Amino acid sequence: MLRVLKRIFYTTLMATLVFAAAPISAREDTVVIGAPTTTAFRNNPLWATSSADFYVFPLILPGLTWFDDQMNPVLALAEDVAISDDGLTYTFTLPENATWSDGEPITAADVKFTWELKSHPALLALPQPPAGRGDITLVAGVEAYSSGQADEISGIQVIDDRTVSFTLNAPNFLFLGNATLGILPKHILGDVDPAEIVNHPYMEMPNVTSGPYMLTEYERDNFWRLEARADYWGKPANITHVIVRAFADNQAQMAAMEAGEIDVTAVPVAEVERFENLDGVNVVSRSGLGYYVLHFNLSAPRVVENCSAETAAEAYTGRAPLDDVRVRQAISFAIDREEIIDVIANGQGTRIFSSIFGPDWLDNSGLEAYDYDRERALELLAEAGWTLNEKGDRLVNDNGEPFRQLVYVAQAGQESFDLGILVQDYLGAVGIPVEIRLTTSSNFLPTVFGEEWDLARNVGGTLGRDPSESARFYRTCAGWANAIGYSNPAWDELMSRGAATTDLTERAAIYNEASRILNTELPSLFLMAPNVAWAVSDRIQGFTGSAGGYITWNLTSWMIG
């Protein structure tokens, strides 16, 4: 009954939080895709962080590579790549006839310029520096360039107009999956002072493009309007106009799909039944590669100057009582994952025990399952100095001081609210009060980059694609991507060894050890790998979806029928 009452309360709450995107007119030659609003600092590949960004930018500003529907890396802007025998050097070739939408040739100089811009000290000093720096730092010379000790990244060499090579710090046979940064036009931005470039109009409205589409109109938190390039040098798109429409709330997005206002949208698996019997709509689903977790706020600074394991450790501030691993483990035992999968994912998910959970060759045995066990949770809390008061409804320490209220934050939506209710009930049963705070998609990252939260819902990623994916988010010096502030030098070393190893048996052993560390230290509450599903108008043909959620990966092959 309490959970039902809370759901009723949520309806009232959403009246103050949810603002549906303004209606956008569409034509018969237009497909409209629903997406959450962007969380990016600028509308530019340098700051791509959210689903909408990954829907749009591969169509207008592709990187050297991108992903197929199984999240295997494939060539995108590049037409060929050669990898040295030692795995240190990747040499990409660009198409001879490739041009920007303003007619200028796309060159290797554009590639080097873009990668150096993302690593430039002036951009790294911004309040929100470029996202996903872990991909960049694999390349030799990046750290010297980023710290101002070098004038260029030594590991990136322009061989000729069509050829560019990347030399890595260490062999990394996964670099193709890290070469996805959308390439920017040097002839537009090359003469702009990097200290001022963040305010250049192109950073918010990149209207000179290299991909099959032009960006013709953009309104933050509302929509992106794309038009197929008539002069595109590669495979032309079948659909002339594409609109990616943004929604601040998932429920508004689902309602727009029901009303026929959009043609394609990702659907939470708990909502699949809502669309299965809807006329004119097909549901496409498959096993997902993303994860569904609750991050702990560990409070280490997200960006540390001249970052290293030592400087990060020195800057660590801690956030009691979550800085005690026994408390995090107790919370993990207090959570009923089976119920979460049933309630949140309608049973359409697989339990995971760390962020390292795939692919099939991974030996992920011997991990603590954290099956629901309230008594075990209370035992661990007692070891950490917390016991229930006389009423049995609140933890207190030896001085009688209460366990402080934890703050759960999430993007507004029924699913995230339902998870908050579950967490509130689970932790309340062991004497830990929880406050639920919901925010819009655009305000979620600024909230997480702040300090006043304890548990943050996070969904997505492609961590099941390869164990190395976890390094993007949990490595000590991953910068803003490691928003929770986790740091373990031994884990960092394991991830480096795993990425440089080709033997699957050896890789499995390395990553199993790395997985055990995460499973023990619990920087996050690892809940499940949910299935992925989409509602698709039956007027759209050729849609397949992506196990990683990047639904526009083959949009140029879609047709309207």
Side-chain angles (χ1 to χ4, degrees), residues 354-358 362 364 367 463 467 470 491 495 511 514-515 518:
S354 87
S355 63
I356 300 173
F357 58 88
L362 176 67
N364 216 347
L367 302 185
L463 286 85
S470 289
W491 189 86
M495 299 305 284
Y511 285 122
S515 190
L518 294 180

Side-chain angles (χ1 to χ4, degrees), residues 348-371:
Q348 300 299 304
T350 304
R351 287 183 61 179
I352 60 172
F353 310 106
S354 87
S355 63
I356 300 173
F357 58 88
D360 292 341
W361 54 261
L362 176 67
D363 173 18
N364 216 347
S365 58
L367 302 185
E368 173 61 64
Y370 292 103
D371 292 326

Side-chain angles (χ1 to χ4, degrees), residues 52-197:
D53 306 320
F54 299 128
Y55 294 172
V56 171
F57 292 131
L59 300 176
I60 63 173
L61 292 169
L64 295 169
T65 64
W66 193 233
F67 301 105
D68 65 13
D69 62 331
Q70 288 297 320
M71 293 305 295
N72 299 307
V74 294
L75 294 175
L77 186 60
E79 70 172 9
D80 190 30
V81 61
I83 306 172
S84 62
D85 291 340
D86 59 8
L88 277 174
T89 301
Y90 288 69
T91 302
F92 294 90
T93 302
L94 301 176
E96 186 174 6
N97 61 335
T99 60
W100 295 97
S101 58
D102 62 0
E104 291 293 319
I106 300 171
T107 70
D110 295 315
V111 177
K112 183 177 176 68
F113 165 76
T114 304
W115 281 63
E116 289 186 338
L117 184 61
K118 186 165 184 174
S119 305
H120 196 281
L123 272 70
L124 297 184
L126 291 170
Q128 291 192 30
R133 281 265 300 149
D135 300 346
I136 301 293
T137 54
L138 298 173
V139 180
V142 167
E143 295 301 338
Y145 178 76
S146 296
S147 63
Q149 300 175 38
D151 295 331
E152 64 175 351
I153 297 177
S154 60
I156 304 178
Q157 294 294 318
V158 173
I159 297 172
D160 56 41
D161 283 349
R162 295 178 54 212
T163 313
V164 59
S165 69
F166 292 78
T167 299
L168 311 184
N169 289 307
N172 191 310
F173 292 88
L174 303 165
F175 183 67
L176 287 179
N178 292 325
T180 58
L181 172 62
I183 303 306
L184 303 177
K186 183 179 180 181
H187 69 281
I188 299 292
L189 300 170
D191 293 332
V192 181
D193 183 350
E196 303 294 333
I197 203 167

Side-chain angles (χ1 to χ4, degrees), residues 160-405:
D160 56 41
D161 283 349
R162 295 178 54 212
T163 313
V164 59
S165 69
F166 292 78
T167 299
L168 311 184
N169 289 307
N172 191 310
F173 292 88
L174 303 165
F175 183 67
L176 287 179
N178 292 325
T180 58
L181 172 62
I183 303 306
L184 303 177
K186 183 179 180 181
H187 69 281
I188 299 292
L189 300 170
D191 293 332
V192 181
D193 183 350
E196 303 294 333
I197 203 167
V198 68
N199 296 316
H200 191 280
Y202 191 90
M203 290 294 120
E204 194 70 1
M205 182 61 187
N207 54 1
V208 174
T209 65
S210 58
Y213 283 89
M214 285 278 296
L215 178 63
T216 60
E217 190 177 2
Y218 167 69
E219 290 184 10
R220 180 171 284 270
D221 298 333
N222 197 354
F223 67 87
W224 294 255
R225 193 185 297 273
L226 282 59
E227 181 176 339
R229 286 177 55 184
D231 63 343
Y232 182 54
W233 47 272
K235 176 186 175 183
N238 295 317
I239 298 175
T240 304
H241 297 95
V242 174
I243 296 171
V244 176
R245 180 176 165 187
F247 294 84
D249 169 66
N250 185 260
Q251 287 305 309
Q253 191 171 328
M254 297 303 98
M257 186 70 207
E258 276 187 317
E261 297 174 7
I262 54 179
D263 297 298
V264 180
T265 187
V267 175
V269 287
E271 300 271 15
V272 165
E273 292 181 7
R274 177 176 176 179
F275 294 96
E276 284 182 330
N277 298 316
L278 191 64
D279 290 342
V281 174
N282 299 314
V283 173
V284 177
S285 62
R286 63 195 307 170
S287 298
L289 298 175
Y291 72 172
Y292 194 113
V293 300
L294 278 171
H295 291 311
F296 286 109
N297 184 356
L298 302 180
S299 273
R302 279 69 171 170
V303 178
V304 177
E305 186 175 354
N306 299 320
C307 184
S308 66
E310 292 75 17
T311 56
E314 290 174 0
Y316 179 71
T317 57
R319 185 170 172 82
L322 297 180
D323 55 349
D324 189 324
V325 67
R326 294 169 298 184
V327 172
R328 300 197 299 273
Q329 290 173 346
I331 290 174
S332 191
F333 276 114
I335 299 295
D336 188 341
R337 288 165 175 77
E338 296 294 345
E339 184 177 30
I340 287 175
I341 293 173
D342 286 342
V343 172
I344 302 301
N346 198 28
Q348 300 299 304
T350 304
R351 287 183 61 179
I352 60 172
F353 310 106
S354 87
S355 63
I356 300 173
F357 58 88
D360 292 341
W361 54 261
L362 176 67
D363 173 18
N364 216 347
S365 58
L367 302 185
E368 173 61 64
Y370 292 103
D371 292 326
Y372 175 67
D373 190 337
R374 178 177 179 271
E375 295 308 313
R376 179 59 180 146
L378 289 171
E379 288 175 5
L380 284 165
L381 288 167
E383 290 177 18
W386 298 97
T387 55
L388 290 172
N389 61 13
E390 292 182 358
K391 294 182 178 180
D393 62 356
R394 186 71 173 266
L395 292 173
V396 294
N397 62 18
D398 293 340
N399 297 324
E401 298 168 336
F403 196 105
R404 68 176 175 81
Q405 179 173 261

